[in-house]
């Protein structure tokens, strides 16, 4: 049988209990999980099994997890429909959050504006024209309070897409929650905190790679000790793909970054099973349907094997790769933008068939501007159609056993392993060192740029069709849809807000806190999270905190390469 | 004599896929390309345009800050007495085209523009 590539390992404990086949072991795990209230049948009324395959084949919820991290997958719980939102001031975004929650979204995901991503205040000269445009502007803990006002942070999970200043934003989030009476241990959510892919692809970096990795280490150590429900890093291939990588590169670079973080935390003395279960992943869902599904399946298998065999993790939760998916922004076209609804639906379906734990669907107008309420609602409805109308969530890993998908999964995995071998060699056996050196040499950056140009040439030569861009032009001259406009007035409001917070705070306390922060930062063994929390409580601004850290860490400058 | 083009990202936006692809398209199209990289100020772009003695300046923006930053680049060039044409590439809604033109931007290239059209546009603003 072609889908049996290797004999899955057997757990002696289960065999002793008289369980003999993989199916029986899976069944025991499935029976132990709750099932949501739905009819798991076709439209003709045919009852469906939770998973299909031979009794001795691979099952979801079992090492190496190719078929999914959980035995019951979407029978227990659908993926989280986590819609990314953020624009204007914290008040504006708070309104959008509440709208998404009312419309049936069940997790929040916060987009920050460019100045916030770069650790700059809204009144910095470099922030001019960028405040509140690509996300919400956060200057102080007062903005964090506005952002999550009337939202129960102990009940809902919150994802924050922030990297270079991630430790500072986490400090603001924790300090605000505690001021609102929610203990840090109750906070559930995800900090993106994936600085490596910033140097590789997204390019929103502040400090050089090594001190940046120290901040990542500090957040992992702090959350491991004090925030058991918090996901410390969302290791992200999304931006690597958006910057132009192939699916294989996205997979390999992302997992290599994941291995680097594992090695970083182990070097800091943390046992792998103490932190690895709180690492999560974030992948792109691009338009090449089957390759995307193969990518997710290969990702789970590779992660499980490396964590078990190379990093000696024994907790199954350390082996289970869980991921968020976002449909590919880069696949959206400014031409005939309504067609983007179709692209997004197909990409979202790939994420679901690949077993994603949460999903963001892009809005059709995002090749033109930030989404309007209307466009964001259609994007959420797209997920709801997939979840509730199509029946694809009834059966786990429905493409498992397909000769094509299994072969593609194997091939993608082998290509990724070749990239890991290159990075390990570069780091004299250490993935952590190999990845940092490859960043410093610009290796990832040029691999991605090469792939982006190759794709562009294929589109230009007509070897790859993009509807509305290089073929099927009728309709390209239609009027643009109504777009969300962020005005200079929003920027003025945010600056006034920052002025007011600065006017009302104890300047001596701020100065003392920033001084203490600088002193702690100079000690490479100190964990900066406690002092960061103390500092942001004084209403010190993000820009002030980042400047104090940059005094010690320096700033990263990328050598421009074409 | 080969024509020289300066390409830069202005402001805080780090999305550099587009500008790097355009750099290679222009290089393959016979231009000499000077790529200034990320996070440039309008004044920095103008000074580099002068120092590198380029014939055209291309700036790339995807964050929605074009109405603030593109006119600032034009103004910074003119303040140095340079009459070099400025081309904007990136996400620019149709509604903003007239305002950019009024601010002295010579051309705007939006996503999906074919390679030959990019080369032709940059060539035409030099004519």
């Amino acid at each position: 049988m072609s889908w049996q590539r290797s004999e899955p390992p057997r757990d002696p404990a289960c065999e002793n209990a008289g369980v003999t086949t993989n199916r029986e072991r899976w069944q025991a795990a499935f029976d132990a999980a709750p099932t949501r209230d739905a009819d798991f049948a076709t439209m003709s009324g045919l009852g469906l099994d939770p998973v299909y395959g031979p009794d001795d084949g691979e099952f979801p919820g079992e090492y190496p997890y190719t078929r999914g991290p959980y035995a019951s997958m979407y029978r227990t719980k659908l993926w989280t429909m986590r819609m990314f939102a953020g624009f204007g001031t914290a008040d504006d975004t708070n309104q959008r959050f509440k709208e998404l929650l009312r419309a049936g979204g069940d997790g929040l995901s916060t987009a920050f504006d460019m100045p916030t991503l770069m650790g700059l205040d809204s009144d910095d000269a470099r922030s001019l024209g960028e405040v509140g445009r690509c996300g919400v502007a956060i200057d102080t803990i007062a903005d964090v309070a506005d952002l999550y006002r009337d939202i129960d942070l102990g009940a809902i999970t919150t994802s924050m897409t922030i990297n270079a200043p991630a430790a500072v934003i986490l400090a603001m989030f924790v300090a605000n929650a505690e001021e609102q009476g929610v203990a840090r241990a109750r906070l559930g959510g995800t900090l993106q905190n994936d600085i490596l892919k910033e140097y590789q692809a997204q390019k929103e970096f502040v400090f050089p790679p090594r001190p940046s990795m120290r901040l990542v280490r500090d957040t992992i150590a702090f959350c491991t000790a004090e925030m058991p429900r918090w996901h410390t890093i969302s290791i992200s291939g999304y931006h690597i793909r958006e910057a132009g990588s192939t699916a294989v590169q996205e997979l390999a670079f992302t997992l290599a970054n994941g291995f680097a973080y594992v090695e970083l935390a182990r070097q800091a003395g943390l046992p792998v099973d103490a932190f690895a279960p709180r690492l999560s992943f974030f992948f792109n869902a691009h338009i090449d349907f089957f390759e995307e599904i193969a990518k997710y399946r290969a990702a789970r298998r590779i992660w499980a094997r490396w964590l078990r065999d190379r990093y000696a993790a024994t907790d199954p939760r350390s082996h289970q790769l869980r991921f968020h998916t976002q449909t590919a922004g880069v696949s959206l076209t400014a031409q005939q933008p309504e067609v983007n609804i179709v692209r997004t639906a197909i990409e979202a379906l790939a994420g679901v068939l690949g077993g994603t734990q949460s999903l963001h669907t892009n809005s059709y107008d995002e090749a033109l501007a930030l989404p309007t309420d209307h466009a964001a609602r259609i994007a959420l409805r797209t997920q709801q159609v997939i979840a509730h109308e199509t029946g694809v969530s009834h059966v786990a890993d429905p493409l498992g056993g397909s000769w094509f998908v299994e072969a593609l999964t194997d091939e993608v995995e082998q290509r990724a392993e070749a990239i890991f071998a290159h990075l390990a060699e570069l780091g004299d056996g250490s993935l952590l060192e190999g990845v940092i050196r490859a960043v410093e040499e610009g290796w990832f950056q040029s691999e991605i740029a090469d792939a982006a140009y190759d794709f562009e040439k294929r589109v230009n030569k007509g070897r790859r069709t993009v509807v509305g861009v290089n073929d099927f032009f009728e309709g390209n001259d239609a009027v643009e849809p109504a777009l969300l406009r962020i005005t200079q007035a929003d920027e003025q409001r945010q600056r006034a807000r920052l002025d007011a917070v600065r006017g009302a705070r104890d300047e001596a306390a701020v100065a003392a806190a920033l001084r203490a922060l600088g002193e702690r930062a100079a000690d490479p063994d100190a964990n900066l999270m406690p002092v960061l929390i103390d500092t942001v409580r004084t209403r010190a601004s993000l820009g002030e905190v980042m400047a104090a850290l940059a005094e010690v860490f320096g700033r990263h400058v990328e050598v421009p390469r074409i | 004599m080969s024509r020289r083009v300066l390409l830069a990202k202005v402001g805080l936006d780090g999305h550099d896929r587009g500008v790097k692809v355009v750099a290679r398209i222009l290089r393959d199209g016979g231009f000499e390309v000077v790529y200034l990289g990320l996070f440039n100020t309008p004044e920095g772009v103008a000074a580099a345009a002068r120092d590198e003695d380029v014939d055209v300046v291309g700036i790339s923006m995807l964050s929605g800050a074009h109405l603030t930053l593109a006119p600032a680049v034009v103004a910074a060039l003119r303040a140095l007495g340079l009459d070099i044409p400025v081309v904007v590439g990136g996400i620019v809604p149709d509604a903003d085209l007239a305002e950019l033109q009024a601010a002295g931007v010579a051309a705007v290239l939006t996503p999906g523009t074919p390679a030959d059209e990019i080369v032709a546009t940059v060539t035409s603003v030099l004519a």
Side-chain angles (χ1 to χ4, degrees), chain A residues 57-195:
Chain A
E58 199 185 301
F59 282 82
E62 301 216 318
Y63 184 91
Y65 303 101
T66 314
R67 305 199 66 187
Y70 307 119
S72 56
M73 290 302 287
Y74 302 139
R75 289 265 176 131
T76 292
K77 181 181 171 294
L78 288 166
W79 62 92
T80 301
M81 299 181 192
R82 190 184 293 285
M83 300 298 283
F84 191 44
F87 62 97
T89 64
D91 268 333
D92 298 330
T93 299
N94 179 256
Q95 297 301 317
R96 175 68 67 90
F97 279 164
K98 290 180 193 164
E99 161 69 22
L100 285 168
L101 293 174
R102 273 194 298 272
D106 45 12
L108 297 177
S109 179
T110 314
F112 297 94
D113 70 355
M114 292 279 178
T116 306
L117 293 177
M118 296 299 287
L120 299 173
D121 288 337
S122 296
D123 59 357
D124 192 292
R126 288 164 289 181
S127 303
L128 187 69
E130 311 260 22
V131 175
R133 277 200 190 275
C134 285
V136 61
I138 298 295
D139 291 312
T140 68
I141 189 175
D143 296 325
V144 176
D146 286 351
L147 184 60
Y148 300 113
R149 190 173 306 285
D150 308 323
I151 294 169
D152 183 355
L153 294 174
I156 198 150
T157 61
T158 312
S159 167
M160 290 181 276
T161 300
I162 189 96
N163 296 279
V168 188
I169 294 292
L170 176 63
M172 287 184 182
F173 185 77
V174 170
N176 171 65
E178 291 185 340
E179 288 182 9
Q180 311 300 321
V182 182
R184 60 183 71 167
R186 282 182 60 212
L187 296 172
T190 306
L191 193 65
Q192 192 164 80
N193 200 25
D194 174 14
I195 197 66

Side-chain angles (χ1 to χ4, degrees), chain A residues 130 203-204 450 453 460 485, chain B residues 14 16 24 28 63 96 115:
Chain A
E130 311 260 22
K203 309 293 174 77
E204 302 289 340
D450 287 350
Y453 191 44
N460 265 298
R485 307 294 296 193
Chain B
D16 61 359
R24 293 185 187 202
D28 291 354
S63 69
D96 295 346

